[in-house]
Amino acid sequence: SSGINAEYGVSNEDVIFWKWISVNTIALVTENTVYHWPMEGDALPQKVFDRHSTLKGCQIINYRTDAAMKWLLLVGISAQQQRVVGAMQLYSVDRNVSQPIEGHAAAFVPFKMDNNKSPSNIFAFSVRNQTGGKLHIIEVGAPAEGNSAFTKKTVDVFFPAEAPNDFPVAMQASKEHGLLYMITKYGYIHLYDIESGTCIYMNRISGDTIFVTAPHEASNGIIGVNRKGQVLSVSIDEDNIVSYITNQLKNPELALKISVRCNLAGAEELFVRRFNMLFGQGQYSEAAKVAASAPKGILRTPQTIQRFQQCPAQPGQASPLLQYFSILLETSQLNKAESLELARPVLQQGRNQLLEKWLVEGKLECSEELGDLIKAHDSTLALSVYLRANIPQKVCQVFCN
């Protein structure tokens, strides 16, 4: 039906735009109002908010929500003075407040910053007007408890001279990679880093307008359909993006960030260089963080443990080795070599309950060697290690003794 019928208890207004916004909810947009219609039982369309006056007469092209459906966005376009003007209405459910924004394409995405416990709720939108193109990346709502606020980013969006009337038509975000994909009317794709706003890549992928897009979950990229009916998929090459950012963009800092964020290879040399520099300066805690965050565990080797073991402890501070292990324990499970080397000083100090705690939390890699090391101090704890490591003959030995 093109209208929301009166028998549903809402109105006789025509529906001019509709879209699925979750697996069981459809958004319906009329000339004056936005409704959400849950597809469960006999649920009726629920009025959510009235359209803002700035969208009057606009062609509605999109409707978006954040993951919690607490922030809602209506997007429209209209022809004015020989250009296409974008108008958006950002609505906060909790505050029951609308904000009009000039913009053409937008996306919501959860993004976790370094040192924050929870992801920030990020809203990105792009506009092209008489003064040029801009991309804005902001946090909506108050930061989660314990989180630092995300610093707003505003960057220029480049439009080539041969596309004077081009403008953004779609935006999708990859929360896995922390990247934004923006597509323009003339078929250009722009790839941006969410945290810094840096443009990583831009190219034309279609000679025809791409009129619909969606996140492509299989590749953590974007999928779209153009007016010729071609289905296009774009995603990053995980094997090469880090070296591309290092060598082509000459941006080693961003390369390191993306390598850590996505656990991607390609920045090994950068990590080793940074680790050695910090270690040489005696910044053992910072060096430990680099070793812990380096992708694919490239610095988590017996040689690294040996280097920390050889460092003298500073008065009143934990030894560099214990600093290293405590940073690893915060973020991950220790590997076999790390588990053994941490267990030695802990057992010598008689702090068996610490090892028991780490075992229960799954922080240690259980092995026959770890069980043998612990057995001389605590046979019950050793039994727990042998069981987890699946060493039946040693389990029998402990029981027999």
Side-chain angles (χ1 to χ4, degrees):
S1 167
S2 65
I4 306 176
N5 295 330
E7 67 190 83
Y8 289 126
V10 185
S11 77
N12 281 316
E13 293 180 278
D14 281 348
V15 173
I16 56 173
F17 183 88
W18 68 273
K19 182 181 175 181
W20 286 97
I21 53 171
S22 74
V23 290
N24 57 7
T25 306
I26 293 176
L28 304 165
V29 183
T30 71
E31 283 293 346
N32 301 306
T33 313
V34 175
Y35 300 90
H36 286 182
W37 193 357
M39 296 287 112
E40 290 164 342
D42 297 325
L44 303 176
Q46 305 291 319
K47 178 180 170 179
V48 190
F49 61 89
D50 288 319
R51 281 176 55 173
H52 196 271
S53 58
T54 50
L55 273 85
K56 191 166 180 64
C58 283
Q59 175 193 346
I60 301 302
I61 59 167
N62 209 347
Y63 182 72
R64 317 259 350 215
T65 80
D66 69 343
M69 289 203 199
K70 293 291 188 183
W71 290 87
L72 315 173
L73 183 79
L74 188 60
V75 187
I77 54 173
S78 60
Q80 293 177 29
Q81 295 157 7
Q82 296 183 318
R83 68 184 189 91
V84 176
V85 176
M88 295 178 174
Q89 179 177 355
L90 180 65
Y91 177 77
S92 164
V93 172
D94 289 341
R95 296 186 205 155
N96 187 24
V97 170
S98 279
Q99 181 183 348
I101 298 169
E102 187 183 8
H104 291 91
F108 294 97
V109 59
F111 177 77
K112 189 176 175 301
M113 296 193 299
D114 293 346
N115 305 322
N116 270 1
K117 290 180 181 174
S118 314
S120 305
N121 194 13
I122 299 300
F123 170 57
F125 67 98
S126 185
V127 63
R128 188 183 192 183
N129 53 29
Q130 297 105 315
T131 57
K134 294 282 182 193
L135 170 69
H136 303 271
I137 307 170
I138 62 173
E139 182 174 11
V140 287
E145 193 177 339
N147 267 15
S148 298
F150 179 88
T151 305
K152 178 182 175 178
K153 306 294 182 304
T154 300
V155 296
D156 290 332
V157 174
F158 174 75
F159 287 94
E162 63 269 22
N165 299 317
D166 201 10
F167 61 92
V169 290
M171 191 182 291
Q172 299 292 347
S174 166
K175 65 180 180 187
E176 289 74 17
H177 293 140
L179 301 174
L180 290 171
Y181 292 84
M182 189 188 85
I183 287 181
T184 74
K185 166 94 172 168
Y186 286 16
Y188 287 88
I189 190 158
H190 299 236
L191 181 65
Y192 292 93
D193 172 54
I194 289 172
E195 190 167 14
S196 63
T198 304
C199 183
I200 295 171
Y201 183 75
M202 176 194 160
N203 208 343
R204 195 169 197 182
I205 57 167
S206 172
D208 295 272
T209 299
I210 295 167
F211 67 90
V212 64
T213 65
H216 188 236
E217 289 178 13
S219 66
N220 294 319
I222 184 172
I223 193 165
V225 183
N226 70 12
R227 292 210 182 280
K228 273 192 179 163
Q230 293 172 317
V231 179
L232 308 163
S233 168
V234 181
S235 59
I236 65 166
D237 179 350
E238 291 190 338
D239 295 331
N240 291 307
I241 187 167
V242 173
S243 58
Y244 169 81
I245 293 168
T246 305
N247 301 319
Q248 300 295 318
L249 302 186
K250 307 289 185 214
N251 193 338
E253 191 181 330
L254 181 61
L256 279 171
K257 280 265 186 196
I258 288 182
S259 178
V260 172
R261 186 192 301 158
C262 310
N263 192 25
L264 300 178
E268 290 82 355
E269 194 185 322
L270 296 172
F271 277 96
V272 171
R273 208 183 304 153
R274 186 161 173 75
F275 174 78
N276 288 335
M277 181 191 77
L278 292 166
F279 202 95
Q281 293 170 349
Q283 296 186 51
Y284 302 124
S285 176
E286 293 304 309
K289 288 176 186 172
V290 172
S293 63
K296 315 290 183 192
I298 57 165
L299 283 166
R300 291 178 60 176
T301 61
Q303 290 79 6
T304 297
I305 296 171
Q306 211 172 357
R307 287 183 71 175
F308 279 108
Q309 282 172 329
Q310 291 164 354
C311 293
Q314 298 299 313
Q317 284 186 19
S319 72
L321 182 67
L322 284 178
Q323 286 183 49
Y324 175 54
F325 284 137
S326 68
I327 283 164
L328 291 179
L329 285 164
E330 278 174 27
T331 56
S332 60
Q333 181 196 41
L334 301 192
N335 62 33
K336 182 178 171 181
E338 292 161 351
S339 300
L340 281 165
E341 292 306 328
L342 174 60
R344 290 185 211 282
V346 171
L347 288 167
Q348 282 166 5
Q349 293 167 18
R351 301 176 71 183
N352 300 9
Q353 74 281 3
L354 263 182
L355 285 178
E356 191 174 351
K357 173 179 175 284
W358 292 329
L359 269 178
V360 170
E361 291 173 352
K363 293 289 187 181
L364 305 177
E365 184 179 320
C366 293
S367 62
E368 187 172 356
E369 293 88 335
L370 182 63
D372 293 346
L373 179 66
I374 293 172
K375 191 177 164 194
H377 302 264
D378 188 331
S379 59
T380 309
L381 197 54
L383 175 64
S384 186
V385 172
Y386 290 139
L387 282 166
R388 285 177 165 87
N390 196 20
I391 315 289
Q393 66 274 25
K394 288 290 174 85
V395 172
C396 292
Q397 276 180 29
V398 174
F399 276 124
C400 291
N401 293 338

